[in-house]
């Protein structure tokens, strides 16, 4: 039987966790249910290429935090642009000040809605995707690892990648490149940090209809001259488990990787795809 408070005394930060019904929200709610103190970070305010429809606003983050608190958990919010190294350092320092340390770092912030043919994608769009998805994961890995090393008790760094980390997708060259790069970051960091008891892994979900997923559904349904319903039905037919992913599927994988049961697992890109990806 799972110990429902197995993460009591632990502290988790998740980037890109402010959007209701997103992967980050599901991950932190799962960890909080099991006793973890959680830090919800997201951009807070719109930026270029990152409008309010695609980020967790300050109000969104507080809504997620209130729901966690109402369920008996402990949560705080922190506006964070993962592209800014000073902000990353400050967010981790605030976490340590408030909660006494950092045990789990989940790199979930990402741009997956700038979808263009490779011949049409602007350099600025490409850079925005790489800066958030890959540079952000690097900066958070760097400073989370420094904090974990200073604590001397190990830790967990978990990168939320994608099936796009292992296969190609039309009109998503930037996203696919960033997620392939995230796997490289995962593997190299795991080798460096393993001797210190810090595991580094990636979770690779297939399609999940979050807010981001809905944008992708609409784009690719139009691209394939289908309705969204037809596009999703076609997707389900290609998945051995006959359904698309749920945010809870990713949250379950993250919780396992944070647990003692996964203490000897590092450097992996774990598919959570219902059998759609087998390598």
């Amino acid at each position: 039987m799972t110990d429902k408070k197995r993460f009591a005394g632990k502290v988790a930060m998740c980037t890109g966790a402010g959007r209701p019904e997103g992967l980050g929200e599901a991950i932190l709610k799962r960890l909080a249910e099991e006793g973890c103190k959680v830090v919800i970070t997201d951009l807070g305010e719109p930026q270029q290429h990152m409008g309010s429809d695609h980020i967790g606003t300050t109000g969104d983050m507080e809504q997620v935090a209130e729901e966690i608190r109402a369920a008996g958990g402990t949560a705080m919010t922190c506006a964070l642009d993962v592209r800014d190294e000073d902000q990353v350092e400050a967010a981790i320092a605030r976490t340590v000040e408030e909660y006494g340390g950092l045990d789990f770092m989940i790199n979930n912030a990402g741009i997956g809605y700038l979808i263009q043919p490779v011949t049409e994608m602007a350099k600025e769009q490409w850079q925005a995707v790489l800066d958030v998805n890959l540079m952000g994961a690097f900066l958070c890995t760097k400073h989370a690892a420094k904090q974990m090393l200073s604590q001397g008790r190990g830790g967990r760094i978990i990168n939320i990648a994608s099936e796009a980390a292992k296969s190609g997708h039309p009109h998503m060259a930037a996203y696919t490149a960033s997620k392939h790069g995230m796997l490289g970051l995962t593997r190299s960091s795991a080798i460096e940090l393993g001797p210190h008891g810090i595991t580094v892994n990636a979770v690779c979900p297939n399609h999940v209809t979050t807010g981001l997923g809905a944008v992708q559904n609409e784009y690719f349904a139009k691209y394939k001259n289908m309705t969204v319903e037809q596009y999703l039905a076609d997707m389900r037919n290609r998945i051995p488990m006959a359904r698309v992913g749920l945010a809870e599927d990713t949250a379950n994988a993250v919780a396992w990787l944070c647990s003692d049961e996964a203490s000897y697992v590092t450097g992996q890109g774990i598919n959570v795809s219902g059998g759609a990806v087998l390598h």
Side-chain angles (χ1 to χ4, degrees):
M1 181 179 293
T2 301
D3 177 5
K4 287 299 183 182
K5 295 298 178 183
R6 61 180 169 170
F7 299 136
K10 301 293 186 180
V11 178
M13 174 186 287
C14 183
T15 63
R19 293 195 73 190
E21 300 183 4
L23 292 182
E25 178 198 44
I27 289 164
L28 289 186
K29 283 185 173 180
R30 172 63 190 273
L31 295 178
E33 285 174 2
E34 298 192 49
C36 193
K37 297 176 182 178
V38 302
V39 182
I40 302 150
T41 81
D42 214 304
L43 199 55
E45 300 293 335
Q47 302 278 340
Q48 185 180 20
H49 301 303
M50 290 171 272
S52 57
D53 289 343
H54 299 299
I55 67 165
T57 64
T58 301
D60 291 334
M61 286 191 284
E62 191 53 41
Q63 177 183 330
V64 174
E66 285 299 328
E67 290 174 2
I68 290 172
R69 294 174 192 136
T74 302
M76 61 179 271
T77 65
C78 183
L80 172 62
D81 185 340
V82 297
R83 303 169 298 176
D84 186 320
E85 188 163 12
D86 290 340
Q87 288 191 34
V88 172
E89 287 189 272
I92 291 174
R94 184 180 166 206
T95 297
V96 173
E97 180 180 357
E98 293 288 331
Y99 289 155
L102 178 64
D103 300 285
F104 311 144
M105 180 75 221
I106 300 104
N107 291 314
N108 174 67
I111 292 178
Y113 49 82
L114 293 178
I115 310 171
Q116 292 279 354
V118 69
T119 54
E120 298 177 18
M121 178 164 247
K123 175 183 174 181
E124 293 76 16
Q125 291 178 313
W126 171 278
Q127 195 63 57
V129 175
L130 270 290
D131 282 349
V132 174
N133 295 12
L134 190 52
M135 178 67 80
F138 157 66
L139 292 174
C140 291
T141 294
K142 173 183 175 180
H143 290 286
K146 289 174 70 173
Q147 176 60 35
M148 292 171 185
L149 288 168
S150 73
Q151 294 168 178
R153 60 174 186 256
R156 303 282 194 269
I157 298 173
I158 301 169
N159 296 317
I160 306 303
S162 166
E163 67 176 343
K166 300 187 177 184
S167 56
H169 292 269
H171 296 197
M172 298 195 75
Y175 183 80
T176 301
S178 72
K179 295 302 185 179
H180 274 67
M182 182 178 269
L183 278 189
L185 173 65
T186 298
R187 290 162 177 159
S188 292
S189 301
I191 293 168
E192 289 188 37
L193 299 172
H196 305 282
I198 301 170
T199 67
V200 188
N201 291 287
V203 176
C204 302
N206 64 338
H207 177 80
V208 182
T209 302
T210 58
L212 168 60
V215 171
Q216 294 173 345
N217 291 346
E218 292 174 7
Y219 181 95
F220 286 109
K222 183 177 180 180
Y223 171 62
K224 295 187 175 187
N225 197 29
M226 295 177 169
T227 66
V228 170
E229 291 73 19
Q230 289 170 331
Y231 174 71
L232 288 172
D234 184 58
M235 184 186 299
R236 286 192 294 270
N237 289 337
R238 298 194 307 270
I239 298 171
M241 296 295 293
R243 68 170 175 84
V244 298
L246 303 174
E248 290 76 14
D249 297 321
T250 298
N252 290 339
V254 171
W256 180 73
L257 286 170
C258 288
S259 73
D260 289 342
E261 287 87 348
S263 62
Y264 199 56
V265 177
T266 196
Q268 303 305 303
I270 297 175
N271 299 324
V272 181
S273 67
V277 178
L278 299 172
H279 64 283

